[in-house]
Amino acid sequence: MTQMAKALLVDDRRENLMALEAILQGLPVQSVAVESGEAALKQLLVDDFAVILLDAQMPDMDGFETATHIKRRERTRHVPIIFLTAADKDAQLALRGYAVGAVDYLTKPFDPWVLRAKVSVFVELWVKTRQLAAQSDLVRERDAQWRVLTDAVDEATALLRADDEAESRERAVDLLEQARWGNSA
């Protein structure tokens, strides 16, 4: 069973969190809403996220400081962050957002369909990354099984070759060698 992607929503205003949850409604993503940078960092200790929607301007720990902490942690440094802010279109704030590791910086009001599209891309990338990791694990597991089989075939072949008793043993060696290389008899 595949784990559903999660989006971490971080904003100090509950009404903004509710609006974000409504925007993401219907996407294949579970929203996890928190009201502070500290709460976001705690949540990132227990959950994996496909994307973080982070308010830039919050009391205590602002979005920039929160993003700095997120990007310092090995476990979370690759989680994409989209900054959301009600601040005017100050280019310096956007540059600061990108400097701390954001993949995007949107000022309010923003088009909800654009945000949905951006989140959808990161959710899809998260899902594909999980699928690739699972396939990689499966390939490693099969390689290990193949090595065990190959070692067993090699050992059986050596034992059979050591005993020159009968023609049937030679046939067994031939069959084992064919099995070793995946050829049919």
Side-chain angles (χ1 to χ4, degrees):
M1 185 169 125
T2 306
Q3 179 185 3
M4 179 179 258
K6 295 179 183 177
L8 182 59
L9 316 179
V10 188
D11 197 304
D12 61 311
R13 298 181 65 193
R14 185 70 205 145
E15 61 273 15
N16 289 344
L17 291 171
M18 289 174 28
L20 289 173
E21 288 173 331
I23 289 169
L24 300 182
Q25 192 72 33
L27 292 179
V29 63
Q30 178 186 348
S31 296
V32 176
V34 296
E35 295 182 9
S36 70
E38 293 88 351
L41 295 175
K42 287 178 185 174
Q43 194 65 49
L44 286 162
L45 290 173
V46 296
D47 270 329
D48 293 323
F49 291 91
V51 63
I52 300 168
L53 305 182
L54 181 58
D55 183 22
Q57 297 179 318
M58 296 183 292
D60 300 323
M61 182 185 296
D62 69 12
F64 303 109
E65 185 180 351
T66 303
T68 300
H69 287 293
I70 291 168
K71 293 301 180 178
R72 282 186 187 151
R73 292 180 179 170
E74 180 63 35
R75 182 170 185 246
T76 57
R77 74 171 31 129
H78 299 293
V79 180
I81 298 172
I82 299 174
F83 271 108
L84 306 173
T85 184
D88 59 8
K89 298 182 191 302
D90 182 355
Q92 291 298 81
L93 285 179
L95 289 175
R96 186 175 173 206
Y98 292 121
V100 295
V103 297
D104 210 345
Y105 191 96
L106 300 176
T107 56
K108 300 172 190 171
F110 51 81
D111 184 337
W113 294 104
V114 169
L115 182 60
R116 283 177 62 88
K118 290 175 185 290
V119 169
S120 291
V121 167
F122 290 117
V123 166
E124 187 175 333
L125 287 172
W126 185 87
V127 168
K128 297 291 185 201
T129 301
R130 292 287 174 128
Q131 289 171 344
L132 285 173
Q135 288 174 348
S136 179
D137 291 345
L138 184 59
V139 166
R140 276 193 294 279
E141 182 182 316
R142 288 195 177 151
D143 282 349
Q145 291 170 346
W146 181 252
R147 279 191 298 280
V148 169
L149 174 63
T150 300
D151 291 347
V153 168
D154 289 346
E155 185 178 344
T157 302
L159 289 171
L160 286 170
R161 284 209 186 275
D163 188 356
D164 272 345
E165 219 173 86
E167 187 178 315
S168 61
R169 292 196 190 277
E170 191 59 37
R171 177 72 181 137
V173 169
D174 291 341
L175 288 172
L176 283 170
E177 286 178 341
Q178 289 174 359
R180 165 75 167 88
W181 299 108
N183 301 325
S184 56

